[in-house]
Structures are given as C-alpha cells and as structure tokens.
Amino acid sequence: MSKAKAAPPPGCTLDIKDPQVQEAAIRIQASYRGHRSRKELREKGPPKFLQELKDVVLLEGSAAKLECRVSAFPDPFIVWSKDGAELKDGPKYRYVFEGLDVVALVVRDGVLADLGKYTVTIKNPFGMTSGSACILIEVPAKVTKGPDSVKAKKGTTVVLKADIAGEPPPDVGWLKDGEDIEEDDRIFYDIGDTNTILTIKNAQRSDAGKYEVFVENNLGTDQSFARVDIL
C-alpha cells in the first residue's frame, strides 16, 4: 500500500504559466548565458582588447583616466608607458584594475608636460598586445613672467619680453596706455611658443608710457604690465 505524497507547504508551489514565473526563468537563463560568456572570455589564450583606449582631455591641475577592457587568462602583466618611457605606479601615475577586464591609468595633477602618447602593453604566457591613445592638455592662458620696466635713451631700441603659456595656444596682444598697438616698421611684436617680444626701434619720448601684454584662450585670460621711460 503506497503512501499519499504530502502536499508542499503553502507558498512553495510554482505555476509555470504564471507570467512572473516565466519572467524569472528568462532572467535566470540570461544570467547563466552571461556567466558562460564570461567564462569563455577567460579561457587560456593571448590577451586581446574588448574595448580600445581612447584619447582624453586633461585640464591643468586635474586628473585624467585612460582605460580599456581586455580579455586575458591567465592574468596578465601590465606596463604603461608615455612616449616610449615606462611609467611607474606611484603618486603621479596610478595603475588601476576594475572588475575582471578593465585596465586603467590615472594621471594626477595635470601639467602641460603630461601631453603625449600613452601605451598600455599587456602580456601573459600566451602572447602580448598593446594599444595607445593620447592625453590632450588644456591650460588656461597665462603670462608666466611679465615684461620688466625699462628706462632707455631716446633713439635706442627698447625690447619688452614676456613668457606665456596656454593650451590651446593663446591669442596675444600688446597695448600702450590701454590702446592696441598698431604695428609698423618701427614698433612690432613677435609671438613664439613660450614667449612674446615687443620691439620699439629708435625710441621717442612719445613712446614712454604703460605697456600691457594680454593673452587669451577659451579657458582664460591674463595680463601683465610694464613701464617704459625714455630719457
């Protein structure tokens, strides 16, 4: 004589036609497929990129992050370099690993010298791959060293020099007593990568006054002043 099966406790029965049950089953299957895909990505083999590095813009004084997604098993050995020189993990450059597949480099306290090409090299016993991207620097326009005031004799040449910086390279202008200087063969200025020079030939007493150098880019403006006296 067979015993009757005990009924399941209340709340432990499933109706496979219930939409909520069907939806839960779909989620479980999707989760399993995702787990299987991740497992397949971790199979032994040479490293490969799932997402390449991309160029980033670094604002002076802030931090930037270069990152990529990689597939590599066994776990790889990572080296970052800038313009061919290896970067050591430390206060300035920090190696970052997130999850199973994200490799990143954080560059702190951005300065103009951080502009360049960065390369990540990924190695394991089965092979090696590498990828590169650039850090582009944005620096507000500034006069890093203003012109010195000058006392000169009439008829001599006066030179005012200012050191400048900025990325994108700033627009530069010179003013005398608040008015734009109109260049000619006697009074003119040159603009270099890191400085600007105002030249006054055959200086006259009318050239005496307050001179201003002005720099501007889309991130900021700056100016500096000097006095010219003609004796």
Side-chain angles (χ1 to χ4, degrees):
M1 182 176 178
S2 61
K3 294 182 180 180
K5 293 182 179 179
C12 292
T13 57
L14 291 176
D15 181 358
I16 61 173
K17 294 182 180 181
D18 187 330
Q20 292 183 340
V21 173
Q22 293 177 350
E23 183 180 349
I26 291 172
R27 288 200 300 268
I28 291 171
Q29 291 174 356
S31 177
Y32 171 73
R33 285 195 297 270
H35 171 75
R36 186 175 61 188
S37 297
R38 288 191 294 273
K39 183 178 180 182
E40 290 170 354
L41 288 174
R42 299 292 286 176
E43 290 180 351
K44 294 180 180 179
K48 61 182 179 180
F49 285 101
L50 304 177
Q51 181 179 310
E52 301 279 350
L53 290 172
K54 294 182 180 179
D55 293 348
V56 297
V57 174
L58 174 58
L59 184 64
E60 185 182 35
S62 66
K65 185 179 182 182
L66 288 162
E67 67 178 22
C68 58
R69 291 180 58 237
V70 299
S71 168
F73 186 76
D75 289 340
F77 179 70
I78 308 293
V79 174
W80 286 92
S81 59
K82 175 182 180 291
D83 298 329
E86 182 178 341
L87 303 174
K88 299 296 185 181
D89 187 25
K92 176 64 177 180
Y93 304 105
R94 185 183 174 194
Y95 285 32
V96 176
F97 305 93
E98 299 175 349
L100 293 175
D101 56 12
V102 175
V103 175
L105 177 74
V106 175
V107 180
R108 296 169 170 166
D109 302 322
V111 294
L112 194 57
D114 292 323
L115 184 151
K117 181 180 179 181
Y118 290 75
T119 299
V120 60
T121 301
I122 305 165
K123 305 176 183 178
N124 74 3
F126 296 94
M128 178 185 77
T129 189
S130 64
S132 299
C134 291
I135 285 185
L136 311 172
I137 307 296
E138 289 191 343
V139 181
K142 63 178 67 175
V143 179
T144 57
K145 183 180 184 302
D148 295 324
S149 293
V150 174
K151 291 183 178 180
K153 292 182 178 181
K154 180 181 177 182
T156 61
T157 297
V158 174
V159 175
L160 298 178
K161 178 183 177 181
D163 293 335
I164 60 175
E167 187 62 40
D171 294 326
V172 179
W174 285 85
L175 299 84
K176 176 181 179 292
D177 297 328
E179 299 292 333
D180 289 337
I181 291 176
E182 298 292 337
E183 295 181 273
D184 55 30
D185 292 339
R186 193 177 70 85
I187 303 176
F188 54 89
Y189 56 88
D190 298 307
I191 303 171
D193 292 336
T194 59
N195 60 51
T196 177
I197 298 174
L198 174 70
T199 301
I200 305 172
K201 292 183 176 181
N202 189 23
Q204 303 298 308
R205 288 193 172 87
S206 59
D207 294 323
K210 182 180 180 182
Y211 285 77
E212 174 188 354
V213 58
F214 179 86
V215 294
E216 177 180 23
N217 65 10
N218 62 314
L219 299 170
T221 62
D222 196 14
Q223 64 278 323
S224 184
F225 301 89
R227 177 76 193 179
V228 171
D229 291 310
I230 305 301
L231 306 177

